[in-house]
Amino acid sequence: MSEDRLKTMRELVDSLNEAADSYYNGRGEIMSDYEWDAMFDRLKRMEEETGTVLEDSPTINVSADQIAGTKEEHEFAALSLAKTKKPEDLVKWADGRKIWISWKLDGLTLVVTYDNGRLSKVVTRGDGHIGTNITHLASSIHGIPKSIKETGHLVIRGEAVISYEDFERFRIESGEDYANPRNLASGSLTLKDTEEVRRRNIHWIPFTLVHTDREIVSWGERMDYLESLGFATVDHEAITEPDVKQINEMIEKFTKRVTDGENPYPVDGLVIVYDDTEYASGGSVTGHHATRAGYAFKWQDEAVESELEYIEWSCAASAITPVAVFKPVEIEGTTVRRASLCNISECERLAIGSKGTVLSVIKANKIIPKVIHVSHTEGTFEIPSHCPVCGSPTRIRISENSGTKTLRCTNESCPARQLRKYTRFVSKPGCDIDGISEQTLSRFINEGWIHNCGDIYRLVNHIDEIAELDGFGEKSAANIQASIEKSRKVDDTKLVYALNIPLVGQDVAKRLLGAYPLDELVAKSVAAEDPELFSVIDGIGPEKSNAFVTWFKDDENLRNYMDLLNEIEVVRSVKTAEGNRCAGLTFVVTGDVHHYANRNALKAYIESQGGKVTGSVSKSTSFLINNDLESTSSKNTKAKSLGIEIISEDEFIRRYGGQS
């Protein structure tokens, strides 16, 4: 083999390993999936042609997470799957046997183990043989219960993922420099702060039952068993006699769910597995692939070339994001003319220029338009010196984590930096304006239409302009108008919550409005000499009273509130209890609930029966409701020390009625 070919292979291996290391360990994305796949395929071809494979080649090694912590060897090796972009390869692999097809979730694989019904450990995949024990984070990840109704030894493999919606919410609210949901999920599991991890809203979705003491040899029945234990498993469908027609139809069915936006989580393909788990376990291991463990299918991305028209700078929270606007092109059956460029570092990596720059665009994972390559750079890439929303000076921030450069607005009062406030205002617990998401709010702020909450209702004056925006149209504009008009009649509790007053959540709002009508609360606050005047109300106290009064004594807040009243009708809440089964009792609810939709639903029932629900255990607590009676949590421990009875949800329903 020539030195030039060996040198090329060495460069490919180094580039791929560097990109994989960054991708799998929560740092900045330095190469798109499209570029990685193309480079990987090129390396694979060269290895086959030359018969040479470098020892650190990604074709024979698993990309490992480098999460710090106690290392632990897997009981069952978590090997990777062979991948293809050809449906006929899946047919050949299936060999006429019954198979199951499911999502290839794009997150971080976690192996979760239970012994005698109790969670014993959670370990990252690592290199497939040794991972990092992150059991301490289990309570911060949705979908990993502390206990299950199973007496034996259970080992489950699943994917820790963050939905696109939660990723965008976190990115906008925090201004953090994560490239995609998978990058955020990986970075989140390196944290020690469990509350911060919980804020990221990570969901763990089981995709296979690796081991059970029960004799279940069907993969489908194993997934059914997991669901009977309360796990929300990955979506999966069976193909009894797989042939080219059936597999293509199933691929098309799953693909349509992606393109139609029905799947909330990021996926980068599909996976097929044999239903016969005994047959599947009898395969050999080639490199780092178990030959019968499964086969991954990745979509063939359609790259289309276009010409840049201009760079649009979109401000959300404190970050100002570059968006490429190019001549319209057809990709995957839809017209595309915009793609986020993420940050300054990505623009520099791609060598983005100005109008006339020739670029290639794909729809990453069939959903998100993404610029993957620049074949010709025209002019220079210019970074704005002033915020496009408020006109204040900008600055470039370099992340300590990844070295990523992002553009920031320096004005703390910039309307775009109030995005989190407006998001709470339109949310379901707030004024419930359906159809206006964070991304939509951000767009309208950048158009200069929103400077205070009243402006959200005055968006009806911009309906024709909204209909002309990319991605909206007349139907979307009409739906937004209908939602705004429907929300003009607002429950007073929802309104107080929507105002985003510090320390005033739904519970505080209910307590304040249970004591005084809203107009009286506002009048008393404006005239108050003592900001703690509401502290005598049960559950309020000096700090919350001070926050509420101080907010209304602020001239700008009061002015915006009075302006808002011109746009809405406030409806007084009805505060009468429906019954008295919980009268005189104070409850604290913690942990997961099984009969009620969530803890808020249980809380609502208790209050409807004349009871109280507080957030912390104290001497005045009558009962702590926790389905995990033997938990060593701080609330259980405190309840026991105070002699307060801990009851399960079942016991509560037996004594006090409610949902059964």
Side-chain angles (χ1 to χ4, degrees), residues 27 46 198 273 284 293 404 407 421 424 426 472 597 605:
R27 296 191 293 278
M46 292 186 73
R198 185 176 289 109
V273 295
S284 60
T404 303
L407 191 64
K421 176 181 76 174
R424 174 159 158 173
V426 303
F472 284 84
Y605 172 76

Side-chain angles (χ1 to χ4, degrees), residues 306-465:
S306 184
E307 190 174 302
L308 182 68
E309 293 187 334
Y310 59 90
I311 299 288
E312 176 184 286
W313 292 86
S314 174
C315 190
S318 58
I320 306 174
T321 304
V323 177
V325 181
F326 41 84
K327 290 182 177 179
V329 289
E330 288 288 319
I331 308 178
E332 312 282 359
T334 59
T335 302
V336 179
R337 68 173 306 229
R338 298 164 55 87
S340 172
L341 292 167
C342 300
N343 49 56
I344 294 171
S345 294
E346 179 70 354
C347 292
E348 292 176 343
R349 184 184 76 81
L350 290 167
I352 288 285
S354 57
K355 181 178 174 63
T357 294
V358 179
L359 40 78
S360 295
V361 186
I362 63 168
K363 287 181 75 173
N365 294 336
K366 299 292 181 181
I367 300 178
I368 303 170
K370 185 177 182 66
V371 177
I372 57 162
H373 180 67
V374 170
S375 58
H376 171 72
T377 302
E378 188 73 32
T380 57
F381 172 61
E382 294 184 2
I383 301 170
S385 59
H386 291 82
C387 173
V389 173
C390 70
S392 298
T394 59
R395 66 179 177 86
I396 295 175
R397 174 182 176 244
I398 300 177
S399 169
E400 293 181 6
N401 241 1
S402 60
T404 303
K405 298 177 187 176
T406 53
L407 191 64
R408 303 294 171 122
C409 175
T410 58
N411 177 15
E412 292 291 334
S413 301
C414 176
R417 300 190 74 164
Q418 308 304 312
L419 182 60
R420 187 173 185 179
K421 176 181 76 174
Y422 297 130
T423 301
R424 174 159 158 173
F425 184 86
V426 303
S427 69
K428 197 166 189 65
C431 290
D432 191 14
I433 307 180
D434 189 37
I436 300 185
S437 64
E438 285 179 345
Q439 293 80 8
T440 301
L441 282 169
S442 178
R443 189 78 177 275
F444 293 165
I445 289 168
N446 278 276
E447 293 292 334
W449 298 334
I450 298 177
H451 298 89
N452 56 52
C453 292
D455 285 340
I456 294 174
Y457 288 93
R458 287 185 283 271
L459 286 170
V460 294
N461 300 327
H462 299 282
I463 289 301
D464 290 342
E465 295 163 274

Side-chain angles (χ1 to χ4, degrees), residues 546-583:
N546 197 320
F548 185 86
V549 171
T550 301
W551 194 89
F552 277 104
K553 288 183 85 67
D554 180 272
D555 290 341
E556 185 177 356
N557 288 339
L558 183 62
R559 183 167 56 252
N560 288 336
Y561 173 73
M562 299 307 292
D563 171 69
L564 177 61
L565 292 184
N566 293 326
E567 302 291 336
I568 62 175
E569 176 189 347
V570 183
V571 181
R572 170 107 200 220
S573 303
V574 178
K575 301 294 177 183
T576 55
E578 298 169 4
N580 60 2
R581 301 192 69 167
C582 300

Side-chain angles (χ1 to χ4, degrees), residues 627-646:
N627 283 320
D628 188 355
L629 300 177
E630 301 305 316
S631 168
T632 57
S633 68
S634 58
K635 287 180 180 176
N636 272 38
T637 302
K638 188 169 184 180
K640 288 176 181 177
S641 70
L642 294 174
I644 293 165
E645 186 177 358
I646 305 172

